[in-house]
Amino acid sequence: MSLAVSLRRALLVLLTGAIFILTVLYWNQGVTKAQAYNEALERPHSHHDASGFPIPVEKSWTYKCENDRCMRVGHHGKSAKRVSFISCSMTCGDVNIWPHPTQKFLLSSQTHSFSVEDVQLHVDTAHREVRKQLQLAFDWFLKDLRQIQRLDYVGSSSEPTVSESSSKSRRHADLEPAATLFGATFGVKKVGDLTSVQVKISVIKSGDLNFSLDNDETYQLSTQTEGHRLQVEITANSYFGARHGLSTLQQLIWFDDEDHLLHTYANSKVKDAPKFRYRGLMLDTSRHFFSVESIKRTIVGMGLAKMNRFHWHLTDAQSFPYISRYYPELAEHGAYSESETYSEQDVREVAEFAKIYGVQVIPEIDAPAHAGNGWDWGPKRGMGELAMCINQQPWSFYCGEPPCGQLNPKNNYTYLILQRLYEELLQHTGPTDFFHLGGDEVNLDCWAQYFNDTDLRGLWCDFMLQAMVRLKLANNGVAPKHVAVWSSALTNTKCLPNSQFTVQVWGGSTWQENYDLLDNGYNVIFSHVDAWYLDCGFGSWRATGDAACAPYRTWQNVYKHRPWERMRLDKKRKKQVLGGEVCMWTEQVDENQLDNRLWPRTAALAERLWTDPSDDHDMDIVPPDVFRRISLFRNRLVELGIRAEALFPKYCAQNPGECI
């Protein structure tokens, strides 16, 4: 009996010792890791390996501001407080807002720390629907702040959805991560200098939530510290201006990896307004299919950069991914697969999500050209040939790239289908004063096989005018104020009334059509292939024919392009320039490359169209402060899970101005 008792005691002692040793090892594991390398302790761990935060903590370095530049200094184990790169950058030199404010700004040198749980909202507006939309926008603003503070990971189940109620933001305070990151005490909230950040948003005039080129996008933002409370005021005349104010506020906040808290300025003032009304991005989802999630991710970047038009090139000759309510045969015959389609709900969901970020969705069913696969079922339904030249060879005779296909301009069913499609898309995306009819790259040789005794140029004009009539019928008898078509050799025939049609100019910036269209009285949107085509520079994707544009358009190319200045436009002609749009055609782009093909080059256009800074430098030189600001903006995109392209070696980012 005594032997058994002794054995039990020995086992108990061994077990107690093992527990003690394991406890010591657990609590000191951070020290062990720190001895190996400081960054390893700070790197967040997630089963979403590709969605973690690729911007590591840089404990080896501290930064100090000298002559408006942050200088990197070694900090290997020193006891003095380390200044992180982002905190130095945000308090050294010019304001780090992208795009740069157009009117005035003032930022204090003093900063405060806080946590996202300290942020609260108060909305002041007489318009109930605006109040609801602002609350929804604020929910997503908080979600983005949580991700910046590294409390949530990309793909986290705590993301709000478009359909969730505004009570979501009030629940943010109750959401604690399973284990607070970066060595903080488990289950204990980090406490900063501020006990609360009160955000007051006032919309004092318009209650309109419908997109229009006449939307007032101006806003004013101010912050003021009162004790341990920060008062933030965003004042705007419309929801759209207030939304831009939130984007600016988000850029006045940063995550400091020294104390693992959010930081912002003690006092600030910003007054801002865009130079151009139309600031767009076009994505082609026909040549490759892109998920709704990737489109939403693109819209998040657009909202942060204050871009306001997402031009969705929904269909083309390669595929017809949209499932029409009236004519599902289009997708049945034209989609790549059942899973590579967009439902009505998908389009509506994208449009509602985009509005949260102040972005309008402009869908385009390209017609009459670029319409092949998906349009071949007419005879089976007793509707005749809806399209011609479908998959015709040799393709180079009948279209710009394979496969060929062009709508039948003398079949009334063609126009009826277009009318129904316009009706559906307008219902999904909401009332608008802007719609895109396509109209580009019509191949007259295709039609000539069927209508060789016809004025083929006139046939194109008749088609576009008939499409306009059908658009008006689809829009409850009201023609949108601006109806866009792509530029081509046909747009200068003057058959389209300049009071109704806007031309998106995709050709070269030195082409005569730029001047002719303005002289003919058309409003224009510039998308010059030699500056704002982001698909260029990756070589030809086929063995024969012209299939690539070169060279690659760098972000500097995008940024420096100011066609209204190069063309020396007078005030009257400059008013006809509604804005610009970068284009992402996707022959060589799928979802795997989307982020880094778009960003940060699209952001370069955003500043060109919002701020249009004067160009006092050499034509090929971008000022050093622009390099610094776009580098920081690129990092902000990465923090939000957008895999933006690198701008230069990381050494150059750590040593601003040294590599330029």
Side-chain angles (χ1 to χ4, degrees), residues 20 72 105 118 134 271 295 311 315 381 409 431 461 470 514 628:
F20 175 77
R72 189 178 74 167
F105 60 90
D118 302 322
L134 283 171
K271 187 177 182 182
I295 293 173
H311 176 181
T315 69
R381 284 277 304 271
C461 293
R470 297 296 181 143
N514 293 279
R628 178 176 57 83

Side-chain angles (χ1 to χ4, degrees), residues 159 183 237 312 380 393 483:
E159 279 192 9
N237 291 324
W312 192 348
K380 295 179 182 178
Q393 295 290 343
V483 178

Side-chain angles (χ1 to χ4, degrees), residues 540-606:
S540 179
W541 53 273
R542 61 174 185 251
T544 60
D546 297 328
C549 45
Y552 177 81
R553 283 42 166 161
T554 67
W555 73 265
Q556 295 97 319
N557 298 146
V558 175
Y559 190 85
K560 296 289 286 186
H561 189 55
R562 301 181 75 200
W564 42 88
E565 292 297 325
R566 188 194 59 76
M567 295 171 66
R568 292 184 167 84
L569 300 181
D570 57 25
K571 288 185 178 180
K572 179 177 181 295
R573 295 290 186 269
K574 193 170 182 179
K575 283 185 178 180
Q576 293 172 237
V577 181
L578 301 181
E581 183 172 283
V582 289
C583 295
M584 178 54 72
W585 302 103
T586 59
E587 287 90 346
Q588 296 174 279
V589 177
D590 66 10
E591 197 157 324
N592 294 302
Q593 298 95 30
L594 181 62
D595 288 6
N596 57 50
R597 293 284 176 90
L598 288 178
W599 304 104
R601 292 187 293 166
T602 298
L605 178 77

Side-chain angles (χ1 to χ4, degrees), residues 284-290 336 342 586-590:
D284 161 28
T285 60
S286 170
R287 290 170 175 87
H288 278 99
F289 179 84
F290 294 84
Y336 287 131
Y342 302 106
T586 59
E587 287 90 346
Q588 296 174 279
V589 177
D590 66 10

Side-chain angles (χ1 to χ4, degrees), residues 343-482:
S343 66
E344 293 184 85
Q345 177 57 33
D346 289 335
V347 177
R348 192 178 301 112
E349 181 180 332
V350 169
E352 291 176 355
F353 181 81
K355 181 174 284 190
I356 293 170
Y357 283 89
V359 177
Q360 179 186 18
V361 173
I362 300 171
E364 177 199 351
I365 304 292
D366 206 351
H370 293 276
N373 288 304
W375 292 90
D376 57 353
W377 47 271
K380 295 179 182 178
R381 284 277 304 271
M383 301 173 75
E385 295 291 348
L386 301 173
M388 301 163 168
C389 317
I390 297 178
N391 298 319
Q392 189 169 355
Q393 295 290 343
W395 63 263
S396 57
F397 288 13
Y398 304 108
C399 59
E401 68 179 43
C404 293
Q406 208 155 279
L407 295 183
N408 185 347
K410 292 192 174 183
N411 184 341
N412 284 331
Y413 284 112
T414 300
Y415 299 109
L416 176 61
I417 292 172
L418 287 176
Q419 178 182 331
R420 294 302 191 194
L421 289 172
Y422 298 157
E423 180 182 321
E424 291 180 41
L425 294 173
L426 285 166
Q427 289 173 358
H428 304 333
T429 58
T432 179
D433 68 343
F434 192 99
F435 197 86
H436 207 298
L437 291 178
D440 61 320
E441 293 189 319
V442 168
N443 187 296
L444 298 181
D445 289 333
C446 168
W447 280 347
Q449 299 173 99
Y450 306 89
F451 315 114
N452 55 12
D453 60 343
T454 304
D455 174 10
L456 297 176
R457 289 178 176 268
L459 195 58
W460 176 83
C461 293
D462 292 342
F463 183 97
M464 299 312 301
L465 291 171
Q466 182 61 239
M468 175 71 174
V469 170
R470 297 296 181 143
L471 173 62
K472 182 177 178 180
L473 290 172
N475 198 39
N476 299 317
V478 179
K481 184 177 179 181
H482 304 275

Side-chain angles (χ1 to χ4, degrees), residues 68 89-97 100-101 105 107 265 625-626 628-629 632:
D68 291 338
S89 298
M90 295 299 291
T91 55
C92 183
D94 192 19
V95 60
N96 270 307
I97 299 173
H100 198 284
F105 60 90
L107 304 176
Y265 302 97
D625 72 285
V626 177
R628 178 176 57 83
R629 286 190 302 106
L632 286 172

Side-chain angles (χ1 to χ4, degrees), residues 488-546:
S488 72
L490 301 173
T491 46
N492 267 321
T493 58
K494 302 182 183 179
C495 65
L496 304 182
N498 59 25
S499 60
Q500 292 179 299
F501 282 86
T502 292
V503 180
Q504 184 168 358
V505 185
W506 70 267
S509 59
T510 60
W511 291 11
Q512 183 61 36
E513 69 173 0
N514 293 279
Y515 301 94
D516 292 343
L517 288 166
L518 291 170
D519 291 342
N520 290 335
Y522 290 104
N523 289 329
V524 299
I525 295 167
F526 287 131
S527 294
H528 290 139
V529 64
D530 52 352
W532 293 342
Y533 263 39
L534 303 185
D535 57 298
C536 292
F538 294 92
S540 179
W541 53 273
R542 61 174 185 251
T544 60
D546 297 328

